[in-house]
Amino acid sequence: MLQPTLSEPVRPVAAVPQGEAMLQVRNIQSSYRRVPAIRDISLTLNKGEIVALVGGNGNGKSTTLRAVAGLNALDGGSILLKGQDISSVPAHERVKRGLVLVPEGRRLFPRLTVEQNLMLGGFTTSDAAKREQTLQFAYDTFTVLGERRRQQAGTLSGGEQQMLAMCRGLMSQPDLLMLDEPSWGVAPKLVTRIFETIQLIRRRGITVLLVEQNVHRALEIADRGYVIQTGRVVMEGSGQDLLGNDEVRQAYLGM
Amino acid sequence: MTADILIQVLVSGLLIGLIYALVAVGLTLIFGVMDIVNFAHGEFLMLGMYASFWAFAIFAIDPIVALPLTALLLFAVGVIVYQTVIRRILKAPMLSQIFATFGLMILLRGLAQFFWKPDHRLIPHSLVSGNIALGSVQFGLPQFVAALGAVGVTGALWMFLHRTRLGTALEATAIDREAATLMGIDGQKMFALAWGIGAACAGLAGGLIATFFPIFPEVGSNFILIAFVVVVLGGFGSVTGAFLAGIIVGLIEVLGGFLIGPEYKTAIVLSLLLIVLLVRPRGLLGKA
Ligand SMILES: Nc1ncnc2c1ncn2[C@@H]1O[C@H](COP(=O)(O)OP(=O)(O)O)[C@@H](O)[C@H]1O
Ligand SMILES: [Mg+2]
């Protein structure tokens, strides 16, 4: 289960300058073979925030995260990380700059071991001591990963795989972690664990951009949220506001 | 008496099989990382042989001593080929990719004929020469050293892929290029690395056999067909598979040649290819 670290922030959030933007996404557009998938998305994430991106299937949430990560090219707009325009920075360079995506479907390397997967997550970290430290954090937080470190990643259960994917994303000690449906394929009793982990990640001072099917729980832990529809932002507000909003409740929470 | 002959045949098969394995691991590595079949792989071997030949002819450096240089040179050739040719056809249709590496094969052969003449050349007295006799079994020292070198290089490659950060990054790129990118791994660099290593393996195979095999511009054709059979039998993209399959193909080739007749050697190896494709198309250790 979760270690005591949960209640002790590793990097106190107060130490992070408040209100400074970690990520600014300005009117980005992106398409698949000329078919637009996102038409006009603007987001701002302040340092230390958890921001949720919600909306029904096929509305462009994953495409937004992929565009920010650099996997999908932009047709327009710009992306600023810590104030710097990274719109034309290649995807692998963005990792070095502190921007990491844990993609939809996890995309682990199934025939490599748990430990090899984690070490690959720390590929950009040249300091071996730092890598070791994050590895230890992962094993302390999720003892099952430590127990199975020599096992092939593909043999883990869905929930374990998701935890491995999140830890792999943390290995480069990112400033901004983007999670695409982290509770997908996870057994219900482990879903709570996933959401606890997201909060734990934030307590380590990492800003989180979260895409979730589980809209209720996502908005519960999020400081703010954006609602996306057919590739545009149609609503934004604090997590509580959106949870209380009738439209959101009807469309995504079925209440 | 017949047992002795059988052992003799098996030893010969093993020795040549290990060379086939070394040629094939480079081919399978390139394919595994980027799904491109390198038809010019035999020409990398040819270049490795000529590198040894000229090192010997001009500087009197023995092929065995020249091996590190041969490896470096062919690594550079592999990277240059990637940067100038392959990089441009990564997203091209498969037919274009086939023609590109096939064209490269013809180009390299043509250049070798033009600059170095079509003659068969031999390196007369290498450091390693003569025969070893173990009881009644005899084999050439050059063949033995070449096989030993092939084991060493393949083993080193395996260690690199499984025990180093860079090697694991190459494996990761082979498994899922996009996911590797999300780890901060530069796919372009990994592709160039795969070509460098692949070419170096073929070049080392060339350097190792240069002590006993004639050197000529088309020499690659003697090996490339067999290398394809080895890659298919081992499972596309599997280095361990290619190693095992190389030994198997060497044994079958020599044993078949002995039992049925040496003129049927190639036919026997190609029948093996047909059988593998029919019975187990993903090979010994290939991904399903
Ligand atoms: N690889 C792809 N090729 C073509 N179209 C795609 C691809 N991925 C997503 N799309 C399309 O882009 C739109 C947005 O998809 P996506 O970003 O995956 O939405 P979400 O994550 O919100 O479910 C959808 O219309 C989807 O069909
Ligand atoms: Mg999605």
Side-chain angles (χ1 to χ4, degrees):
Chain A
M1 278 296 108
L2 280 179
Q3 300 293 306
T5 43
L6 185 58
S7 53
E8 298 165 29
V10 174
R11 253 189 272 168
V13 178
V16 183
Q18 286 299 304
E20 192 177 324
M22 171 59 66
L23 181 74
Q24 285 165 280
V25 174
R26 294 180 179 158
N27 311 102
I28 59 167
Q29 305 162 21
S30 187
S31 51
Y32 294 97
R33 295 165 196 249
R34 305 224 181 89
V35 181
I38 52 176
R39 296 155 194 275
D40 182 14
I41 303 274
S42 295
L43 314 163
T44 303
L45 273 74
N46 298 313
K47 285 187 178 167
E49 275 187 321
I50 297 179
V51 172
L53 215 55
V54 300
N57 251 336
N59 278 297
K61 303 182 299 292
S62 295
T63 306
T64 302
L65 296 196
R66 291 174 56 88
V68 173
L71 297 179
N72 290 19
L74 296 183
D75 297 333
S78 60
I79 299 165
L80 276 72
L81 184 71
K82 291 176 274 184
Q84 283 185 323
D85 193 334
I86 57 162
S87 312
S88 53
V89 172
H92 66 95
E93 290 280 347
R94 297 188 194 190
V95 178
K96 275 185 215 150
R97 297 193 183 206
L99 172 64
V100 167
L101 168 65
V102 179
E104 195 167 28
R106 300 184 281 260
R107 306 283 285 272
L108 295 170
F109 303 107
R111 62 179 150 97
L112 300 186
T113 65
V114 167
E115 186 146 307
Q116 281 179 314
N117 270 275
L118 288 169
M119 287 318 246
L120 283 164
F123 184 75
T124 56
T125 313
S126 45
D127 182 350
K130 249 187 181 174
R131 286 201 306 269
E132 206 52 47
Q133 194 189 337
T134 324
L135 191 69
Q136 213 47 57
F137 165 79
Y139 290 160
D140 289 346
T141 316
F142 302 104
T143 41
V144 62
L145 295 183
E147 286 158 12
R148 313 226 161 137
R149 67 215 283 172
R150 305 253 172 270
Q151 214 168 301
Q152 288 190 329
T155 64
L156 300 181
S157 76
E160 290 162 357
Q161 290 198 13
Q162 188 57 52
M163 286 162 194
L164 175 55
M166 285 167 55
C167 288
R168 186 180 68 171
L170 289 173
M171 283 296 294
S172 64
Q173 307 199 338
D175 300 313
L176 171 60
L177 189 68
M178 302 191 287
L179 302 169
D180 198 344
E181 306 211 7
S183 74
W184 174 85
V186 174
K189 61 176 183 178
L190 277 177
V191 169
T192 304
R193 186 83 200 277
I194 297 286
F195 282 94
E196 280 173 355
T197 306
I198 296 169
Q199 289 170 290
L200 173 62
I201 290 169
R202 185 252 291 274
R203 287 207 191 83
R204 285 175 73 84
I206 297 169
T207 309
V208 177
L209 180 53
L210 173 65
V211 165
E212 254 299 326
Q213 284 291 310
N214 201 329
V215 175
H216 195 276
R217 300 190 81 156
L219 289 176
E220 258 178 4
I221 64 163
D223 299 298
R224 293 185 302 111
Y226 292 86
V227 179
I228 294 192
Q229 212 167 57
T230 55
R232 296 175 206 278
V233 173
V234 292
M235 214 183 290
E236 61 176 287
S238 74
Q240 294 310 314
D241 284 353
L242 290 178
L243 268 180
N245 181 293
D246 283 343
E247 264 178 78
V248 175
R249 291 164 73 93
Q250 272 177 6
Y252 306 113
L253 303 174
M255 301 191 271
Chain B
M1 180 62 201
T2 36
D4 284 347
I5 294 176
L6 193 65
I7 293 173
Q8 175 76 56
V9 168
L10 291 180
V11 169
S12 311
L14 178 67
L15 293 182
I16 191 66
L18 288 166
I19 296 295
Y20 293 159
L22 181 54
V23 179
V25 288
L27 194 60
T28 213
L29 179 75
I30 291 172
F31 181 84
V33 172
M34 54 204 303
D35 288 2
I36 287 183
V37 176
N38 177 26
F39 284 95
H41 206 67
E43 280 49 55
F44 289 159
L45 174 132
M46 178 268 288
L47 290 178
M49 291 185 89
Y50 273 103
S52 304
F53 177 77
W54 292 114
F56 185 83
I58 300 174
F59 304 107
I61 303 175
D62 192 86
I64 300 300
V65 180
L67 282 176
L69 282 174
T70 309
L72 270 180
L73 191 73
L74 266 292
F75 184 92
V77 169
V79 172
I80 290 168
V81 163
Y82 174 74
Q83 299 289 5
T84 52
V85 181
I86 308 303
R87 215 158 71 112
R88 296 165 205 279
I89 53 155
L90 285 180
K91 289 181 185 144
M94 191 168 77
L95 215 54
S96 314
Q97 297 179 336
I98 291 175
F99 282 128
T101 66
F102 202 83
L104 184 69
M105 170 189 94
I106 293 169
L107 174 75
L108 292 175
R109 272 187 201 181
L111 289 174
Q113 281 181 353
F114 182 78
F115 287 110
W116 304 326
K117 300 193 219 145
D119 307 355
H120 282 220
R121 318 220 193 205
L122 287 170
I123 295 178
H125 12 258
S126 164
L127 278 180
V128 289
S129 52
N131 286 314
I132 307 176
L134 284 179
S136 56
V137 179
Q138 278 212 2
F139 47 89
L141 183 63
Q143 283 83 350
F144 179 71
V145 170
L148 212 60
V151 173
V153 174
T154 314
L157 178 63
W158 192 93
M159 290 299 282
F160 171 72
L161 291 175
H162 292 89
R163 295 282 180 269
T164 69
R165 263 158 64 72
L166 194 60
T168 315
L170 198 58
E171 277 276 291
T173 309
I175 298 171
D176 184 341
R177 179 176 178 200
E178 196 173 80
T181 304
L182 291 175
M183 308 293 106
I185 295 165
D186 183 351
Q188 291 290 338
K189 270 193 194 147
M190 292 301 127
F191 288 171
L193 183 66
W195 277 81
I197 294 175
C201 286
L204 279 169
L208 285 164
I209 62 171
T211 52
F212 62 88
F213 208 89
I215 301 162
F216 53 99
E218 294 85 15
V219 66
S221 61
N222 291 40
F223 291 88
I224 190 66
L225 206 57
I226 292 174
F228 281 135
V229 177
V230 172
V231 168
V232 171
L233 175 60
F236 270 101
S238 168
V239 168
T240 317
F243 181 73
L244 295 176
I247 296 173
I248 294 173
V249 168
L251 287 173
I252 288 179
E253 186 194 67
V254 177
L255 200 61
F258 173 72
L259 294 175
I260 303 171
E263 64 273 31
Y264 296 111
K265 266 191 348 190
T266 314
I268 293 164
V269 169
L270 292 179
S271 320
L272 176 69
L273 175 68
L274 286 180
I275 293 169
V276 174
L277 288 175
L278 281 173
V279 177
R280 194 177 163 88
R282 70 187 173 96
L284 291 175
L285 301 180
K287 296 153 259 177

